[in-house]
Amino acid sequence: MSAPIDEVKLHLFVGKMLGDLGGAMSVPTVRLGVRLGLFDALANAPATAADLAQRAGGLHERYVREWALAQAANGYIDFDPAADRFSLSPEQAMVFHNADSPVYLVAAFEMVAAMIEAEAKVEECFRHGTGVRWGDHAGCLFCATGAFFRPGYVNNIVQNWIPALEGVEAKLRSGAEVADIGCGVGFSTLLMAEAYPASRFTGYDFHEPSIEEARRHARAHGLEDRLQFEVATAKEVPGRNFDLVTMYDCLHDMGDPRGCARHMREILAPGGSWMIVEPIAGNRPEENFNPVGRLYYNASTMICVPTSLDQEVGEGLGAQAGEEKLTAVVLDGGFDRVRRAAEGPFNMVLEAR
C-alpha cells in the first residue's frame, strides 16, 4: 500500500519543479539574447522594446518585446510597467554583460545546450558502459567549457591561487618553467604568461582543436616567444624539470588520474610544485547537495564521467570527487604531501609537493 500524499509537500515540490522548468526553458532565450547582443544593448540604459530592437541592430520589435518579457519573468532583467521600459541592474550585468566579472555565467547556458545535444550519446554509455570522446560530445563544448571557467581564472589565478602556493610566485617572477596540462583553449596559460613575463609556459592538451584555438590566442596576444601549446595527453607530456605544473579543472576528467600523478612526479624539477584546481566538493555525496554541487553533478553525468570512461583505465572520478579522493590519487603518484592552498565558491586549489 502506498504512503498517503502530503499535500503541503506535494505543492512545495511542484513549485520547485515549476522553478526548475522555467530555468530550463530560459536556456534558448538567454542564448538568443547573448548572440543578438540584447543584454549588452540593455546595459547601456533602460529601453522600451522598440529602443532595444534598434540598439541591437534593427531587430524585429515584436520578437524583442516577447524576449524581454520572458527575461523579466525570469528575473534576469527588470521591467518598469509605468514607463514600459526594461533595464539591466548592476547585479544582473555581472552575470550577463561584464565578461570579466567573477560571476559571468553566459557560457553556462551554452554548456547546457551542448549537454542536451549529446543526450543520445550519453544514453548509449549508460547502456554499454562506454564513453564519449571529448571532441565528440556536441557543438563546441570545448569552447563553452573554456568560456565558462575563464571568469574564475581571470579573477583568481594571479590574485589568489598562485600566491597561496609555497614560494611559487617568487619563482615565477624571477623566471620559471611551467607546464599547464589540460589547458583547453589556453585561457589559464595566457593569464599566467601575461602576469609573469620572466617565465616560460607550455600548455598541453589531448584535444587538437583546442590547441589550435590556444595557438591563435597566443598569436593575438603577442606571446609566442615564451608561450607555446602542444598536443599531448597528460601521461605523455614530453618536457622535464618544470618548476610548476598546473591543472585547471581537468584531473577528474582523465581516464587514468593515478598514472597522470606518477608522470607529474617525473616531470617536476626538484622542489617543484603541482597545482591542481578542481571543482569545490565535500568528501561525502550529501555534502554536495547544494546549488553548486547540483550543477557539477549534472555536468559530470553528461560530460566528465563519459569523457573519463572513453579513455584508458576510465576511473571516472567525476566532478565532485572531493579532497580526500583527489589527495589519495596524488599520493599514489609518489608525492610527499598535499594541502588545500585556497578555495572559493566554485573551486578548491590543492598543492602537491
Side-chain angles (χ1 to χ4, degrees):
M1 183 176 177
S2 59
I5 297 296
D6 185 319
E7 293 293 333
V8 173
K9 288 184 178 179
L10 175 61
H11 290 154
L12 288 173
F13 185 61
V14 170
K16 169 185 161 50
M17 291 305 303
L18 291 174
D20 289 352
L21 289 169
M25 289 184 178
S26 75
V27 170
T29 60
V30 167
R31 294 176 73 214
L32 282 171
V34 171
R35 289 199 302 273
L36 295 172
L38 288 163
F39 286 108
D40 293 336
L42 196 57
N44 298 326
T48 64
D51 293 337
L52 185 55
Q54 286 305 308
R55 283 187 204 168
L59 300 177
H60 193 283
E61 179 184 344
R62 182 66 188 89
Y63 280 110
V64 169
R65 181 173 180 80
E66 202 72 2
W67 174 88
L69 290 169
Q71 304 320 305
N74 288 335
Y76 297 167
I77 67 176
D78 292 331
F79 177 58
D80 179 355
D84 197 28
R85 289 181 180 271
F86 302 92
S87 61
L88 196 69
S89 72
E91 297 77 19
Q92 292 161 343
M94 291 277 285
V95 173
F96 291 109
H97 171 66
N98 300 333
D100 287 341
S101 156
V103 291
Y104 183 69
L105 294 174
V106 163
F109 292 85
E110 296 298 325
M111 291 183 67
V112 171
M115 288 164 59
I116 293 171
E117 187 180 339
E119 181 182 324
K121 295 178 181 179
V122 177
E123 181 177 342
E124 289 304 302
C125 296
F126 272 73
R127 298 182 188 281
H128 305 293
T130 51
V132 180
R133 194 173 304 276
W134 175 241
D136 293 344
H137 275 268
C140 190
L141 176 63
F142 66 93
C143 301
T145 302
F148 173 73
F149 285 118
R150 179 187 174 276
Y153 298 163
V154 166
N155 289 277
N156 287 289
I157 290 178
V158 175
Q159 300 91 327
N160 301 311
W161 296 346
I162 286 177
L165 306 178
E166 295 180 5
V168 169
E169 189 169 41
K171 290 182 182 180
L172 292 173
R173 295 199 182 284
S174 62
E177 290 288 332
V178 181
D180 186 15
I181 298 175
C183 66
V185 296
F187 289 138
S188 54
T189 331
L190 286 160
L191 287 165
M192 292 189 293
E194 288 178 333
Y196 304 107
S199 294
R200 293 184 57 85
F201 298 83
T202 305
Y204 297 97
D205 200 281
F206 75 156
H207 186 233
E208 188 169 356
S210 291
I211 289 297
E212 292 172 356
E213 183 71 12
R215 287 170 177 162
R216 285 193 288 271
H217 289 153
R219 287 194 295 271
H221 286 76
L223 295 171
E224 291 177 287
D225 59 328
R226 54 191 178 83
L227 169 61
Q228 60 183 357
F229 291 99
E230 303 294 341
V231 177
T233 66
K235 294 199 301 183
E236 296 173 345
V237 168
R240 290 292 187 277
N241 292 315
F242 291 107
D243 299 294
L244 173 65
V245 171
T246 59
M247 284 189 183
Y248 294 95
D249 293 291
C250 63
L251 181 62
H252 67 273
D253 291 316
M254 296 179 183
D256 183 13
R258 298 172 195 274
C260 167
R262 287 189 288 272
H263 191 58
M264 297 307 100
R265 182 67 184 84
E266 294 171 0
I267 68 175
L268 275 172
S273 302
W274 179 17
M275 181 172 76
I276 307 153
V277 178
E278 281 285 300
I280 192 76
N283 294 314
R284 298 189 304 274
E286 61 270 23
E287 295 175 12
N288 305 318
F289 296 163
N290 54 57
V292 173
R294 180 187 184 189
L295 293 177
Y296 280 136
Y297 270 132
N298 280 284
S300 189
T301 302
M302 300 300 294
I303 302 171
C304 307
V305 170
T307 296
S308 177
L309 266 59
D310 176 70
Q311 301 171 58
E312 177 185 29
V313 179
E315 181 159 337
L317 283 174
Q320 295 289 269
E323 184 176 356
E324 286 183 3
K325 188 176 290 186
L326 292 167
T327 297
V329 166
V330 174
L331 294 177
D332 277 355
F335 287 84
D336 296 323
R337 63 189 178 94
V338 182
R339 72 179 183 97
R340 186 182 294 208
E343 65 179 72
F346 299 107
N347 292 98
M348 59 181 167
V349 180
L350 305 181
E351 180 182 18
R353 299 293 294 264

